[in-house]
Amino acid sequence: MFIVRMLTVLALLCSCCAQAAEPESFPVTLRGKTLTISTESDRATLAAQLSGALAGEEPSVLTVERIQYDFIAVQGEGPVTVLVDFDNKGRWIEIVIESSLKQQNPVAQELVGWLAVNAGQGRKSGKVTSWKQGGLAFRFREVNNAGEDSVYGVTVSRK
């Protein structure tokens, strides 16, 4: 019995150490290509991933502090905005995936689904649901029937 307990404790410790060694990450799927974004992803990496996934699209904003794409994710629907803000060291500080309506934004829908599976149902406060997962904070907002203030999107930031 003692040996079984010791092996169980060792297995738990090893799994915790293995998880801690990997940078935390989350998936973002753009036009069928899944980008794995981690806390270690830098500006050059994210710029390459975004331009590869959104081939043929030009960035709407391309500065040292921000990369932003506005693109059609669902034919016949409005645009989705994907923007990444960076600090002066080239580390991302915030990622926003947003549109006016849910049906326009399969990118945020898939990320919210991933969060539900990997981080639980989240904490709901009004029209905002939030999760904290591996050093990151995720904030999902859905505001319907508010005219140009309608929004369906996810904001990811470092905790």
Side-chain angles (χ1 to χ4, degrees), residues 144-158:
N144 295 312
N145 302 319
E148 62 185 47
D149 292 331
S150 294
V151 67
Y152 184 92
V154 177
T155 300
V156 185
S157 57
R158 296 172 186 274

Side-chain angles (χ1 to χ4, degrees), residues 59-77:
S60 306
V61 177
L62 185 58
T63 64
V64 173
E65 300 87 15
R66 175 174 285 180
I67 298 173
Q68 178 177 329
Y69 283 87
D70 298 293
F71 67 98
I72 303 299
V74 177
Q75 204 64 6
E77 293 291 340

Side-chain angles (χ1 to χ4, degrees), residues 34-55:
T34 301
L35 288 56
T36 300
I37 300 174
S38 79
T39 54
E40 302 297 313
S41 298
D42 62 9
R43 189 182 189 291
T45 302
L46 289 170
Q49 286 181 319
L50 289 167
S51 68
L54 297 172

Side-chain angles (χ1 to χ4, degrees), residues 84-101:
V84 185
D85 285 331
F86 299 92
D87 65 13
N88 58 3
K89 294 178 183 174
R91 294 181 334 154
W92 68 268
I93 52 177
E94 185 172 75
I95 298 173
V96 177
I97 303 163
E98 196 169 82
S99 65
S100 295
L101 303 169

